[in-house]
Amino acid sequence: MKSLAELEAIRNKAKGSVNLRKDDNAVRIVVGMATCGIAAGAKPVMTALMEEVAKRNLENVAVTQTGCIGVCRLEPIVEVMVPGEEKVTYVKVDPKKAAEIISEHIVNGRVVTKYTIGAAQ
Amino acid sequence: MREISLHILDIVQNSVVAKATEIEVDICEDKKLDKLTVVIRDNGCGMSEEFLKKVIDPFATKRTTRKVGLGIPLLKMAAENTGGSLEIQSKEGEGTVVTAVFGLSHIDRQPLGDMAGTMLGLFTAYEDIRFLYKHKVNEKEFFVDTKEIRNVLGDVPFQAPEVYLWLSDFLKEGEEELNQMEV
Ligand SMILES: Nc1ncnc2c1ncn2[C@@H]1O[C@H](COP(=O)(O)OP(=O)(O)OP(=O)(O)O)[C@@H](O)[C@H]1O
Ligand code: FES
Ligand SMILES: [Mg+2]
């Protein structure tokens, strides 16, 4: 069973590393989680994004949720905000695409154009 | 919604939108009573009596991008389809309690689904909200208060990679233990 003592050790280790998450420099990934988003599968997308960020140890990426983004038929929708760059909106995202967005867009800095709202319309 | 956990996620989003700082999610599966009860309690902005009456009806919403609110009516339908019910109590400026009762063994009852993942997503997406999560299965109980976790972590975020993975395992283990066969 996981213990809080274990968590304390993790904290002491994490404290040492710089944390940019609350900075304006952080990359923000936002998942639309209104009823329609959840029904369309936003939860597994959210999980995949967070898991990928955690596994790759990406310290300056914050994954958050929001309500309605306004285009139900294109849900699940994921928005990526890289400081200094234009916002990118990905549509009809699934967990596999989510992982690809992290590895391509966030890690390698290449927008995955085929999943963007522009490509869908 | 295919799973009750997704309804829960959705109803909790309402609490978040209502600016709650404390949200309780309480699930109780009781074989003897043949009931699965979900209670979501928040200290958000609440609703007036008048508005609350309309909320159950899908044409009530304060959102502006779509004319109808779907979250609550969908949950009501899911509960009633299993011989259960939905009840909402709310007071402006104080908060809201949503109670959904499902027939546990009813054939139309959706599976509860992935509660560990649902709570993990909520804890980490809304770090500033205190979540109290309780899941009871007959005699067994799993309880998490994110304030206790926060106290240990200080200002290290839930989304810090190692913390996230720890939380994920912690919740999964807690849920698994509930579902182990009773001896
Ligand atoms: N916990 C709460 N506190 C305060 N107001 C609430 C709460 N839950 C629901 N409401 C009010 O009831 C309305 C209807 O909620 P419902 O979940 O059915 O639809 P919605 O949130 O508006 O849209 P959707 O869930 O379809 O994305 C909300 O817009 C909100 O005004
Ligand atoms: S209601 Fe579906 S995206 Fe907003
Ligand atoms: Mg809602």
Side-chain angles (χ1 to χ4, degrees), chain A residues 47-83:
Chain A
T47 308
L49 289 167
M50 284 184 158
E51 227 156 64
E52 206 63 27
V53 167
K55 276 190 205 142
R56 289 169 176 271
N57 216 351
L58 303 174
E59 284 281 352
N60 67 330
V61 179
V63 182
T64 55
Q65 318 190 354
T66 184
C68 164
I69 298 184
V71 226
C72 300
R73 73 200 159 80
L74 298 179
E75 293 274 358
I77 297 178
V78 173
E79 296 180 327
V80 175
M81 272 97 82
V82 180

Short mmCIF file of all heavy atoms in Angstrom, two decimals, chain A residues 47-83:
data_model
loop_
_atom_site.label_atom_id
_atom_site.label_comp_id
_atom_site.label_asym_id
_atom_site.label_seq_id
_atom_site.Cartn_x
_atom_site.Cartn_y
_atom_site.Cartn_z
N THR A 47 -6.32 11.83 -19.33
CA THR A 47 -5.43 10.88 -18.66
C THR A 47 -4.18 10.63 -19.49
O THR A 47 -3.07 10.62 -18.97
CB THR A 47 -6.17 9.54 -18.41
OG1 THR A 47 -7.40 9.84 -17.75
CG2 THR A 47 -5.36 8.59 -17.56
N ALA A 48 -4.38 10.42 -20.79
CA ALA A 48 -3.23 10.14 -21.66
C ALA A 48 -2.26 11.31 -21.67
O ALA A 48 -1.04 11.12 -21.61
CB ALA A 48 -3.73 9.84 -23.08
N LEU A 49 -2.78 12.52 -21.73
CA LEU A 49 -1.92 13.70 -21.74
C LEU A 49 -1.11 13.79 -20.45
O LEU A 49 0.10 13.96 -20.46
CB LEU A 49 -2.77 14.98 -21.89
CG LEU A 49 -3.41 15.21 -23.27
CD1 LEU A 49 -4.45 16.32 -23.17
CD2 LEU A 49 -2.37 15.57 -24.31
N MET A 50 -1.81 13.64 -19.32
CA MET A 50 -1.13 13.76 -18.03
C MET A 50 -0.09 12.67 -17.85
O MET A 50 1.00 12.90 -17.34
CB MET A 50 -2.15 13.72 -16.90
CG MET A 50 -2.92 15.01 -16.76
SD MET A 50 -4.01 14.94 -15.34
CE MET A 50 -4.25 16.69 -15.02
N GLU A 51 -0.47 11.47 -18.27
CA GLU A 51 0.44 10.34 -18.11
C GLU A 51 1.71 10.55 -18.94
O GLU A 51 2.82 10.31 -18.48
CB GLU A 51 -0.26 9.06 -18.57
CG GLU A 51 -0.10 7.93 -17.58
CD GLU A 51 -1.22 6.93 -17.74
OE1 GLU A 51 -1.29 6.31 -18.82
OE2 GLU A 51 -2.02 6.79 -16.79
N GLU A 52 1.51 10.99 -20.15
CA GLU A 52 2.64 11.20 -21.06
C GLU A 52 3.56 12.28 -20.51
O GLU A 52 4.78 12.15 -20.54
CB GLU A 52 2.09 11.58 -22.45
CG GLU A 52 2.97 11.24 -23.61
CD GLU A 52 3.21 9.75 -23.76
OE1 GLU A 52 2.36 8.93 -23.34
OE2 GLU A 52 4.27 9.41 -24.30
N VAL A 53 2.96 13.35 -19.99
CA VAL A 53 3.75 14.44 -19.41
C VAL A 53 4.54 13.92 -18.21
O VAL A 53 5.74 14.21 -18.05
CB VAL A 53 2.82 15.61 -18.99
CG1 VAL A 53 3.56 16.60 -18.09
CG2 VAL A 53 2.28 16.32 -20.23
N ALA A 54 3.89 13.11 -17.38
CA ALA A 54 4.56 12.58 -16.19
C ALA A 54 5.67 11.62 -16.58
O ALA A 54 6.79 11.70 -16.07
CB ALA A 54 3.54 11.89 -15.29
N LYS A 55 5.39 10.72 -17.51
CA LYS A 55 6.37 9.70 -17.89
C LYS A 55 7.60 10.33 -18.53
O LYS A 55 8.70 9.86 -18.37
CB LYS A 55 5.74 8.72 -18.88
CG LYS A 55 4.96 7.62 -18.19
CD LYS A 55 4.58 6.57 -19.21
CE LYS A 55 3.35 5.81 -18.75
NZ LYS A 55 2.48 5.50 -19.88
N ARG A 56 7.38 11.39 -19.30
CA ARG A 56 8.51 12.03 -19.98
C ARG A 56 9.16 13.08 -19.10
O ARG A 56 10.07 13.78 -19.53
CB ARG A 56 8.02 12.71 -21.26
CG ARG A 56 7.65 11.72 -22.33
CD ARG A 56 6.94 12.44 -23.44
NE ARG A 56 6.64 11.54 -24.53
CZ ARG A 56 7.47 11.30 -25.54
NH1 ARG A 56 8.62 11.90 -25.59
NH2 ARG A 56 7.13 10.45 -26.49
N ASN A 57 8.63 13.19 -17.87
CA ASN A 57 9.22 14.09 -16.91
C ASN A 57 9.26 15.54 -17.43
O ASN A 57 10.25 16.24 -17.25
CB ASN A 57 10.64 13.61 -16.59
CG ASN A 57 10.96 13.85 -15.14
OD1 ASN A 57 10.19 14.53 -14.44
ND2 ASN A 57 12.07 13.34 -14.69
N LEU A 58 8.20 15.95 -18.07
CA LEU A 58 8.14 17.31 -18.60
C LEU A 58 7.73 18.26 -17.48
O LEU A 58 6.57 18.30 -17.08
CB LEU A 58 7.14 17.39 -19.75
CG LEU A 58 7.39 16.42 -20.92
CD1 LEU A 58 6.26 16.49 -21.93
CD2 LEU A 58 8.72 16.74 -21.58
N GLU A 59 8.69 18.98 -16.97
CA GLU A 59 8.44 19.78 -15.77
C GLU A 59 7.63 21.06 -16.03
O GLU A 59 6.95 21.55 -15.17
CB GLU A 59 9.77 20.16 -15.11
CG GLU A 59 10.42 19.01 -14.35
CD GLU A 59 9.78 18.79 -12.98
OE1 GLU A 59 8.95 19.60 -12.56
OE2 GLU A 59 10.13 17.77 -12.35
N ASN A 60 7.76 21.61 -17.21
CA ASN A 60 7.14 22.92 -17.42
C ASN A 60 5.88 22.86 -18.26
O ASN A 60 5.60 23.74 -19.06
CB ASN A 60 8.15 23.89 -18.05
CG ASN A 60 8.50 23.46 -19.46
OD1 ASN A 60 8.47 22.26 -19.74
ND2 ASN A 60 8.80 24.39 -20.34
N VAL A 61 5.14 21.75 -18.11
CA VAL A 61 3.89 21.60 -18.84
C VAL A 61 2.76 21.45 -17.84
O VAL A 61 2.84 20.63 -16.93
CB VAL A 61 3.93 20.35 -19.76
CG1 VAL A 61 2.62 20.19 -20.50
CG2 VAL A 61 5.09 20.45 -20.74
N ALA A 62 1.71 22.25 -18.00
CA ALA A 62 0.56 22.13 -17.12
C ALA A 62 -0.66 21.69 -17.93
O ALA A 62 -1.00 22.31 -18.93
CB ALA A 62 0.29 23.46 -16.43
N VAL A 63 -1.28 20.60 -17.51
CA VAL A 63 -2.48 20.12 -18.18
C VAL A 63 -3.68 20.54 -17.34
O VAL A 63 -3.74 20.25 -16.16
CB VAL A 63 -2.47 18.58 -18.32
CG1 VAL A 63 -3.71 18.11 -19.07
CG2 VAL A 63 -1.21 18.11 -19.02
N THR A 64 -4.60 21.26 -17.95
CA THR A 64 -5.77 21.70 -17.19
C THR A 64 -7.05 21.39 -17.96
O THR A 64 -7.01 20.96 -19.10
CB THR A 64 -5.73 23.21 -16.90
OG1 THR A 64 -5.58 23.90 -18.13
CG2 THR A 64 -4.57 23.58 -16.00
N GLN A 65 -8.18 21.62 -17.29
CA GLN A 65 -9.47 21.34 -17.92
C GLN A 65 -10.23 22.65 -18.06
O GLN A 65 -10.02 23.58 -17.32
CB GLN A 65 -10.31 20.42 -17.05
CG GLN A 65 -9.53 19.30 -16.45
CD GLN A 65 -10.44 18.27 -15.78
OE1 GLN A 65 -11.64 18.44 -15.67
NE2 GLN A 65 -9.84 17.19 -15.32
N THR A 66 -11.13 22.66 -19.00
CA THR A 66 -12.01 23.82 -19.09
C THR A 66 -13.39 23.31 -19.47
O THR A 66 -13.56 22.14 -19.78
CB THR A 66 -11.47 24.84 -20.11
OG1 THR A 66 -12.31 25.98 -20.09
CG2 THR A 66 -11.46 24.27 -21.51
N GLY A 67 -14.36 24.19 -19.45
CA GLY A 67 -15.72 23.79 -19.83
C GLY A 67 -15.82 23.72 -21.33
O GLY A 67 -14.93 23.23 -22.02
N CYS A 68 -16.87 24.31 -21.80
CA CYS A 68 -17.18 24.24 -23.22
C CYS A 68 -16.20 25.04 -24.06
O CYS A 68 -15.89 26.17 -23.74
CB CYS A 68 -18.57 24.81 -23.37
SG CYS A 68 -18.95 25.22 -25.02
N ILE A 69 -15.74 24.45 -25.15
CA ILE A 69 -14.90 25.21 -26.07
C ILE A 69 -15.73 25.70 -27.26
O ILE A 69 -15.31 26.55 -28.03
CB ILE A 69 -13.66 24.36 -26.47
CG1 ILE A 69 -12.83 24.06 -25.22
CG2 ILE A 69 -12.81 25.05 -27.52
CD1 ILE A 69 -11.54 23.32 -25.43
N GLY A 70 -16.91 25.14 -27.42
CA GLY A 70 -17.84 25.72 -28.38
C GLY A 70 -18.10 24.95 -29.67
O GLY A 70 -18.89 25.39 -30.49
N VAL A 71 -17.44 23.81 -29.85
CA VAL A 71 -17.67 23.06 -31.09
C VAL A 71 -17.90 21.59 -30.76
O VAL A 71 -17.06 20.74 -30.98
CB VAL A 71 -16.46 23.15 -32.05
CG1 VAL A 71 -16.93 23.45 -33.46
CG2 VAL A 71 -15.43 24.15 -31.60
N CYS A 72 -19.11 21.32 -30.26
CA CYS A 72 -19.43 19.97 -29.79
C CYS A 72 -19.03 18.86 -30.76
O CYS A 72 -18.48 17.85 -30.37
CB CYS A 72 -20.93 19.83 -29.56
SG CYS A 72 -21.57 20.97 -28.38
N ARG A 73 -19.35 19.06 -32.02
CA ARG A 73 -19.17 17.95 -32.95
C ARG A 73 -17.70 17.60 -33.16
O ARG A 73 -17.38 16.58 -33.74
CB ARG A 73 -19.87 18.26 -34.28
CG ARG A 73 -19.17 19.28 -35.12
CD ARG A 73 -20.04 19.94 -36.15
NE ARG A 73 -19.41 21.19 -36.51
CZ ARG A 73 -18.38 21.30 -37.36
NH1 ARG A 73 -17.93 20.22 -37.97
NH2 ARG A 73 -17.84 22.46 -37.61
N LEU A 74 -16.80 18.48 -32.72
CA LEU A 74 -15.37 18.20 -32.89
C LEU A 74 -14.71 17.74 -31.59
O LEU A 74 -13.50 17.56 -31.52
CB LEU A 74 -14.65 19.44 -33.43
CG LEU A 74 -15.11 19.92 -34.81
CD1 LEU A 74 -14.34 21.16 -35.22
CD2 LEU A 74 -14.92 18.83 -35.86
N GLU A 75 -15.47 17.55 -30.54
CA GLU A 75 -14.93 17.08 -29.26
C GLU A 75 -14.41 15.65 -29.42
O GLU A 75 -14.86 14.93 -30.29
CB GLU A 75 -16.04 17.10 -28.19
CG GLU A 75 -16.52 18.48 -27.83
CD GLU A 75 -15.67 19.15 -26.75
OE1 GLU A 75 -14.71 18.51 -26.25
OE2 GLU A 75 -15.95 20.30 -26.42
N PRO A 76 -13.50 15.21 -28.57
CA PRO A 76 -12.72 15.94 -27.58
C PRO A 76 -11.74 16.94 -28.19
O PRO A 76 -11.09 16.63 -29.18
CB PRO A 76 -11.94 14.84 -26.85
CG PRO A 76 -12.63 13.56 -27.18
CD PRO A 76 -13.24 13.76 -28.52
N ILE A 77 -11.69 18.13 -27.58
CA ILE A 77 -10.84 19.20 -28.07
C ILE A 77 -9.71 19.48 -27.08
O ILE A 77 -9.93 19.49 -25.87
CB ILE A 77 -11.69 20.49 -28.28
CG1 ILE A 77 -12.73 20.24 -29.37
CG2 ILE A 77 -10.78 21.67 -28.67
CD1 ILE A 77 -13.65 21.41 -29.64
N VAL A 78 -8.52 19.66 -27.63
CA VAL A 78 -7.36 19.96 -26.80
C VAL A 78 -6.69 21.22 -27.36
O VAL A 78 -6.43 21.30 -28.56
CB VAL A 78 -6.34 18.79 -26.84
CG1 VAL A 78 -5.05 19.16 -26.13
CG2 VAL A 78 -6.95 17.53 -26.22
N GLU A 79 -6.45 22.18 -26.49
CA GLU A 79 -5.76 23.39 -26.93
C GLU A 79 -4.35 23.40 -26.34
O GLU A 79 -4.17 23.09 -25.17
CB GLU A 79 -6.52 24.64 -26.45
CG GLU A 79 -7.90 24.76 -27.06
CD GLU A 79 -8.65 25.98 -26.59
OE1 GLU A 79 -8.47 26.41 -25.43
OE2 GLU A 79 -9.44 26.52 -27.38
N VAL A 80 -3.41 23.77 -27.18
CA VAL A 80 -2.03 23.83 -26.72
C VAL A 80 -1.53 25.27 -26.81
O VAL A 80 -1.61 25.89 -27.87
CB VAL A 80 -1.12 22.91 -27.56
CG1 VAL A 80 0.35 23.07 -27.15
CG2 VAL A 80 -1.55 21.46 -27.41
N MET A 81 -1.10 25.80 -25.67
CA MET A 81 -0.59 27.16 -25.64
C MET A 81 0.89 27.14 -25.26
O MET A 81 1.25 26.89 -24.12
CB MET A 81 -1.37 27.98 -24.60
CG MET A 81 -2.61 28.63 -25.17
SD MET A 81 -4.12 27.74 -24.91
CE MET A 81 -4.68 28.07 -23.36
N VAL A 82 1.71 27.40 -26.24
CA VAL A 82 3.15 27.53 -26.00
C VAL A 82 3.45 29.03 -25.92
O VAL A 82 3.05 29.77 -26.81
CB VAL A 82 3.97 26.87 -27.14
CG1 VAL A 82 5.46 27.01 -26.89
CG2 VAL A 82 3.57 25.41 -27.31
N PRO A 83 4.11 29.47 -24.84
CA PRO A 83 4.37 30.90 -24.71
C PRO A 83 5.07 31.46 -25.95
O PRO A 83 6.00 30.86 -26.47
CB PRO A 83 5.30 30.99 -23.49
CG PRO A 83 5.05 29.74 -22.73
CD PRO A 83 4.67 28.70 -23.72
#
